[in-house]
Amino acid sequence: MASPPPVVLRVADTALELLTVPQVMTRLQLGRSAVYALLRSGQLASITLGRARRIPTHALTDFIRTRLDQEAAA
């Protein structure tokens, strides 16, 4: 079953794509608990809309880049 496409918001002429937790789970190949642990720890930024958590695509990219940099430095 394919996940729905990311939500695209326009903020000051800039497109901002928001991903759901299941979409992030698929992209990172992690379980739900692992993704929520990253959100709780602040390693992965998100916004809350009502009761829904949304992760900006740039936050996911930043998270991956940071992890790659950390592993390259080790």
Side-chain angles (χ1 to χ4, degrees):
M1 185 166 130
S3 60
V7 175
V8 178
L9 296 177
R10 295 229 172 252
V11 180
D13 295 331
T14 303
L16 180 63
E17 289 187 48
L18 300 175
L19 302 170
T20 63
V21 170
Q23 289 170 324
V24 172
M25 289 168 50
T26 300
R27 290 181 185 208
L28 294 178
Q29 296 182 349
L30 291 174
R32 183 173 188 245
S33 297
V35 172
Y36 276 106
L38 292 171
L39 295 171
R40 271 192 308 278
S41 70
Q43 294 179 62
L44 183 57
S46 69
I47 61 171
T48 304
L49 302 170
R51 293 182 58 193
R53 276 285 183 99
R54 296 293 182 261
I55 299 91
T57 53
H58 71 81
L60 184 58
T61 302
D62 292 346
F63 168 74
I64 293 168
R65 188 172 291 122
T66 300
R67 293 299 293 255
L68 287 172
D69 291 345
Q70 288 173 349
E71 291 198 14

